[in-house]
Amino acid sequence: MRVLLSGATGFVGHLLEPVLRASGHDVVCGSRDPERARARWRDRSWVHLDLDDRESIARAIHGCDAAYYLVHAISSARDYPEREAREAHRFAMEAAASGLQRIVYLGGVAPSGRTSRHLRSRLRTGELLRTGAPCCIELRAAMIIGEGSASWAMVRDLSARLPAMVLPRWTQFRSAPVAIDDVLVALSLALELDVPGSCWLDVPGPERMTHEELLRRVSAKLGHRPPMIPVPVLTPSLSSWWVALVTDVPLPMARELVQGLQSDLVPSGESIWDRIPDHAPMTLELAVDRAMRARRGPERGLVATLADRARLRGPSAARG
């Protein structure tokens, strides 16, 4: 397939490109600033893609069989969910007009209760792509563990830096954190899944755990065991300031991320792993090991390993 990769300079997109190429796909990377992107990744094919511009989308999609929609930006602006909705609708309409066969979108897990603005926007984007495009597979992941993930950076820094840790009430909600390695496997194989139309699938890690348990296990993995003190009066707003102060996550992003932790973020539908039974998602401990190695320096192992798997698996393995 000829595949358009939007969000190609982002955390997930820049890792996915070589995996798709190893699977035999012709990958075109979309960027608002293709010259700048080309200067960094010279071995990749770049095209101008501005989701605010219908003509730009049409030109980027032209000649492609499928597209990845990996565009998402947490912002302090009040209207960013509306902007994301407009961009998703515009992309879906151009995809349908061009005859694109499939869109693969990486979104977020549907909360069991209160939905934050950030997660509501991600779910709305998925809905618009699934209803507007001929065939869209929406993959829903909770926290992605990997260097470059903002939610992982928050957990990593809290676990490593605090001499003592307060535990707000939201730390008792559950999640199923997943390794970036597994997300890349899911994304690459979603392109070939045999489905009759648009659908969504969860992409969970192998364990469900509270945010407190996650913090405890990551702290122990990093060789740090701070005292942890429950503080039920610490509000999400105050927690955001605390997170921004202690971690490398900017305050606007910390605020959005913490707001999204006020409900369980666990699988609520069919898992993609039910469609890929030969793949075993990575344990939390191994995912943390790999994320910390990547932080210390470039790690070819992740992409190289997945690329090898893609070559061996071939395009027909995900069918049926």
Side-chain angles (χ1 to χ4, degrees):
M1 289 188 182
R2 182 173 174 84
V3 180
L4 173 65
L5 179 60
S6 70
T9 62
F11 160 52
V12 177
H14 89 277
L15 294 172
L16 181 60
E17 193 274 351
V19 177
L20 294 176
R21 272 195 292 153
S23 298
H25 300 299
D26 178 15
V27 184
V28 179
C29 299
S31 172
R32 286 194 179 194
D33 191 347
E35 292 305 317
R36 182 178 179 183
R38 189 176 293 112
R40 183 174 180 185
W41 292 285
R42 296 185 180 277
D43 63 334
R44 304 183 183 187
S45 175
W46 294 93
V47 65
H48 180 257
L49 175 61
D50 183 350
L51 296 180
D52 286 327
D53 183 349
R54 280 186 178 273
E55 291 185 1
S56 170
I57 299 171
R59 286 193 298 268
I61 287 178
H62 181 71
C64 291
D65 304 297
Y68 282 89
Y69 197 90
L70 304 181
V71 180
H72 178 65
I74 297 177
S75 167
S76 59
R78 285 189 174 184
D79 67 340
Y80 89 79
E82 288 76 18
R83 187 179 70 250
E84 289 198 322
R86 289 194 301 269
E87 291 175 347
H89 175 73
R90 194 176 294 125
F91 192 88
M93 294 301 98
E94 292 303 320
S98 72
L100 204 71
Q101 297 173 23
R102 176 165 296 185
I103 294 174
V104 179
Y105 165 62
L106 179 60
V109 170
S112 61
R114 182 184 304 177
T115 305
S116 68
R117 181 175 69 157
H118 157 56
L119 290 175
R120 189 162 54 247
S121 180
R122 303 208 76 177
L123 292 169
R124 178 60 175 158
T125 295
E127 179 185 359
L128 289 167
L129 291 172
R130 284 186 286 109
T131 56
C135 176
C136 172
I137 296 182
E138 176 185 354
L139 301 181
R140 296 180 177 179
M143 178 186 296
I144 299 175
I145 301 176
E147 179 62 18
S149 163
S151 54
W152 160 246
M154 183 173 73
V155 168
R156 179 200 66 217
D157 292 348
L158 288 174
S159 301
R161 295 177 179 177
L162 288 175
M165 193 179 301
V166 295
L167 298 174
R169 185 162 50 190
W170 54 262
T171 61
Q172 300 310 307
F173 289 111
R174 299 175 301 152
S175 182
V178 59
I180 179 59
D181 306 54
D182 296 318
V183 173
L184 295 176
V185 169
L187 284 167
S188 62
L189 295 183
L191 203 60
E192 299 286 344
L193 283 179
D194 187 8
V195 293
S198 296
C199 66
W200 64 266
L201 299 166
D202 281 313
V203 187
E207 298 179 77
R208 301 185 187 193
M209 64 192 74
T210 64
H211 304 308
E212 176 184 350
E213 181 183 355
L214 175 62
L215 288 165
R216 289 185 183 277
R217 289 174 65 176
V218 173
S219 294
K221 190 69 181 170
L222 300 179
H224 182 53
R225 298 178 185 273
M228 296 191 178
I229 308 162
V231 184
V233 296
L234 192 59
T235 66
S237 179
L238 288 174
S239 296
S240 302
W241 285 94
W242 165 58
V243 168
L245 179 67
V246 173
T247 75
D248 294 335
V249 179
L251 178 60
M253 186 173 292
R255 184 179 293 118
E256 295 289 334
L257 292 175
V258 172
Q259 289 289 341
L261 300 177
Q262 296 183 76
S263 298
D264 283 339
L265 299 174
V266 295
S268 58
E270 182 184 1
S271 167
I272 192 170
W273 308 129
D274 295 333
R275 305 274 188 130
I276 313 172
D278 63 333
H279 179 78
M282 191 175 291
T283 64
L284 175 69
E285 284 70 22
L286 182 54
V288 171
D289 276 342
R290 292 180 71 87
M292 295 308 297
R293 286 201 301 271
R295 182 168 177 75
R296 289 191 289 269
E299 183 182 8
R300 284 193 68 257
L302 179 140
V303 171
T305 300
L306 291 174
D308 288 343
R309 288 184 193 170
R311 293 186 188 98
L312 291 171
R313 189 186 295 268
S316 62
R319 298 185 186 275

